[in-house]
Amino acid sequence: GKTHLAHAIGNQIKQLYPQKTVLYVQIEMFANQFIDAMKNGHINDFIHFYQMMDVLIIDDIQFFAGKDKTQDVFFHIFNHLHQNNKQIILTC
């Protein structure tokens, strides 16, 4: 249900606004990418990548529970997107 709706929202945005950068990502993938970036010393590249999105769709946000460092970096990205009037869609 919710995952299909999230994808449909992203697809509709791309259809109506093809110039927009839309990214759908499950929280597990986000967390794994964050861990890899930390291990490889590429955390700034990781953050910059997500900050470049016009629309960021994060699925299963509830799996952030207990992952303090991942939450911190996400809130940094969230704040940047919000301050730049970008769209953030969270599913739970």
Side-chain angles (χ1 to χ4, degrees), residues 34-77:
F34 171 66
I35 291 166
D36 288 343
M38 293 260 306
K39 286 180 183 176
N40 296 317
H42 297 121
I43 192 67
N44 289 335
D45 292 338
F46 171 83
I47 292 170
H48 181 70
F49 171 77
Y50 280 96
Q51 288 178 337
M52 297 303 296
M53 298 302 132
D54 293 309
V55 180
L56 178 59
I57 304 169
I58 303 273
D59 199 5
D60 293 325
I61 195 78
Q62 72 273 14
F63 293 118
F64 261 160
K67 296 179 178 161
D68 294 339
K69 289 182 181 179
T70 308
Q71 287 177 22
D72 288 344
V73 77
F74 174 74
F75 288 127
H76 181 75
I77 293 165

